C-alpha cells in the first residue's frame, strides 16, 4: 500500500464519539481549505457507519462554508428512515460551531431488476498514457507552475488524463474530458471502502471541466472556483484500486456557475457510477 493511500484510509477512518457522532481530521498538506472530496468521503463514511447490510446507492451534498484544515470536522448523522428496501441518512459536517457541508445518502438492499447502460467512450488505455510525473516533466514551458506542481505531487489517486492539452489552453466547445483514475495502492476488500474512496476521487477535475469550453482551468489565478453541490449515484460493483475511466462533460455555464457531469466506467466498459456537480466559476474580484 502506498503511503498516500494509507493516509487516505486513515482520513476516512472516522473516530466514533457517540452513537451518531463522528470526528474526522484533515491531512496537513498546506492547503488553505479542506478538499471537497475529503468532506464528501468522510460524510459518506459517517452515514455508512449507521447502516448495516445495505450499500449506499446515491448521495447529494451541498458545500456551505470552506473547511478549515487545521480543525477537526464533526459529523452528525440523522437516521431519517429504515424501510424494508431502503435506508436514508442525513449528515451535517460541523466546524467552529457552524455547518460547512450537508449530505443526504440513500442505501438499498441488493435486488435484481432491469439492466441497461450507455456505452463507454472510445479512448486510449491508461497504459498508453503518460504517468503524472512524466506529464509534469513534459508540459509546455509556458504551462502555469501550478499545473506542473499539481502533476508532480504525490496523491492517493493516480490520474492519467486523455486530453492533456487542455491544461495548455486548448478549447473544446463541448467541454469533454476523460481521465483514468485509481487508488495508488491496494484497498481493503470491503465494498463500502471502495465507494467512499471513489466518492473522495469524484470531486477531482469535475468542476474544472466547466472551464474547458473557455480554454481555462482552475489553476488560473484570475478565476475564483469552488464546488457548490455534488451528487453521485453508484450503479454496479467496482474496485477503486483498478483503473476507472472518468468521462466528463459540461452542458452549461451561466450566472458565474458551471455545471459538469461525469460517468465512471471500469476498463471493460461497465458503467459503475454517475456524478453531477455545479460550482462557482467567476473572474476573481480585485480587493
Amino acid at each position: 500500500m502506498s503511503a498516500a493511500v494509507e493516509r487516505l484510509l486513515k482520513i476516512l477512518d472516522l473516530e466514533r464519539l457517540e452513537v451518531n457522532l463522528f470526528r474526522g481530521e484533515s491531512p496537513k498538506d498546506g492547503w488553505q481549505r479542506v478538499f471537497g472530496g475529503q468532506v464528501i468521503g468522510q460524510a459518506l463514511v459517517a452515514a455508512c457507519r449507521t447502516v448495516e447490510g445495505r450499500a449506499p446507492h446515491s448521495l447529494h451534498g451541498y458545500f456551505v462554508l470552506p473547511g478549515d484544515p487545521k480543525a477537526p470536522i464533526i459529523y452528525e448523522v440523522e437516521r431519517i428512515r429504515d424501510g424494508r428496501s431502503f435506508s436514508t441518512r442525513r449528515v451535517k459536517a460541523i466546524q467552529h460551531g457552524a455547518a460547512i457541508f450537508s449530505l443526504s445518502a440513500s442505501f438499498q438492499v441488493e435486488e435484481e431488476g432491469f439492466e441497461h447502460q450507455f456505452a463507454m467512450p472510445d479512448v486510449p488505455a491508461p497504459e498508453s498514457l503518460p504517468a503524472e510525473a512524466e506529464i509534469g516533466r513534459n508540459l509546455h514551458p509556458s504551462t502555469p507552475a501550478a499545473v506542473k506542481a499539481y502533476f508532480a505531487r504525490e496523491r492517493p489517486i493516480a490520474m492519467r488524463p486523455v486530453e492533456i492539452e487542455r491544461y495548455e489552453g486548448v478549447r473544446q466547445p463541448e467541454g469533454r474530458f476523460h481521465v483514468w483514475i485509481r487508488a495508488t495502492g491496494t484497498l481493503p476488500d470491503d465494498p463500502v471502502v471502495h465507494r467512499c474512496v471513489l466518492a473522495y476521487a469524484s470531486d477531482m477535475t469535475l468542476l474544472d471541466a466547466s472551464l474547458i469550453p473557455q480554454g481555462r482551468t482552475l489553476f488560473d489565478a484570475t478565476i475564483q472556483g469552488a464546488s457548490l453541490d455534488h451528487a453521485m449515484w453508484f450503479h454496479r460493483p467496482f474496485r477503486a484500486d483498478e483503473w476507472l475511466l472518468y468521462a466528463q462533460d459540461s452542458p452549461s455555464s451561466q450566472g458565474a456557475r458551471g455545471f459538469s457531469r461525469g460517468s465512471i466506467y471500469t476498463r471493460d466498459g461497465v458503467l459503475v457510477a454517475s456524478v453531477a456537480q455545479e460550482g462557482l466559476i467567476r473572474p476573481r474580484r480585485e480587493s
Side-chain angles (χ1 to χ4, degrees):
M1 183 183 297
S2 74
V5 167
E6 195 169 353
R7 287 194 294 271
L8 173 58
L9 292 177
K10 185 176 180 180
I11 288 168
L12 293 177
D13 187 18
L14 303 181
E15 177 188 1
R16 184 186 294 271
L17 300 178
E18 247 296 345
V19 175
N20 297 318
L21 208 60
F22 304 86
R23 177 164 54 198
E25 301 289 343
S26 300
K28 306 299 184 283
D29 53 14
W31 288 98
Q32 292 183 331
R33 62 187 184 192
V34 176
F35 169 52
Q38 174 195 320
V39 187
I40 296 168
Q42 287 182 330
L44 183 58
V45 169
C48 290
R49 294 272 174 92
T50 68
V51 179
E52 292 185 6
R54 300 175 182 191
H57 71 86
S58 71
L59 62 87
H60 296 73
Y62 280 92
F63 296 93
V64 181
L65 290 171
D68 178 3
K70 297 178 182 178
I73 305 173
I74 303 301
Y75 293 92
E76 183 179 25
V77 181
E78 184 179 0
R79 303 183 187 224
I80 302 297
R81 182 176 185 271
D82 287 301
R84 278 198 263 177
S85 299
F86 293 87
S87 293
T88 306
R89 297 292 185 266
R90 184 179 297 136
V91 184
K92 182 165 61 174
I94 303 167
Q95 275 190 323
H96 307 302
I100 65 167
F101 178 75
S102 66
L103 176 136
S104 294
S106 183
F107 299 73
Q108 183 188 14
V109 297
E110 283 193 33
E111 293 187 41
E112 296 294 328
F114 302 108
E115 288 272 349
H116 80 274
Q117 68 158 75
F118 280 4
M120 183 175 75
D122 185 14
V123 300
E127 291 82 6
S128 68
L129 299 170
E132 290 158 283
E134 185 180 352
I135 291 173
R137 290 192 300 268
N138 295 333
L139 286 169
H140 192 274
S142 63
T143 303
V147 177
K148 295 178 180 179
Y150 180 77
F151 284 104
R153 187 183 302 118
E154 181 190 18
R155 285 191 302 273
I157 306 298
M159 297 194 306
R160 296 199 178 179
V162 176
E163 298 87 359
I164 188 63
E165 64 276 5
R166 66 141 312 200
Y167 292 106
E168 297 174 353
V170 175
R171 296 188 183 196
Q172 294 183 2
E174 294 182 346
R176 297 192 184 279
F177 183 59
H178 304 86
V179 56
W180 290 97
I181 60 173
R182 73 172 179 188
T184 55
T186 303
L187 299 173
D189 290 333
D190 184 353
V192 170
V193 170
H194 290 263
R195 296 193 181 202
C196 292
V197 168
L198 189 60
Y200 170 96
S202 67
D203 192 42
M204 300 170 65
T205 74
L206 189 58
L207 175 58
D208 207 34
S210 64
L211 287 166
I212 295 176
Q214 284 73 42
R216 311 284 289 276
T217 78
L218 289 173
F219 294 107
D220 189 332
T222 66
I223 294 176
Q224 180 185 5
S227 300
L228 295 175
D229 61 11
H230 194 91
M232 189 168 189
W233 298 263
F234 300 103
H235 307 309
R236 297 171 179 85
F238 62 90
R239 289 193 65 93
D241 51 10
E242 296 178 351
W243 285 116
L244 299 167
L245 179 67
Y246 199 175
Q248 305 170 18
D249 64 17
S250 180
S252 174
S253 64
Q254 73 298 311
R257 302 188 314 276
F259 175 65
S260 302
R261 304 178 300 188
S263 298
I264 302 176
Y265 297 85
T266 63
R267 62 180 306 146
D268 55 353
V270 177
L271 180 63
V272 298
S274 297
V275 191
Q277 184 181 87
E278 190 172 52
L280 175 72
I281 49 168
R282 69 156 71 107
R284 192 173 294 276
R285 298 165 179 167
E286 294 185 9
S287 55

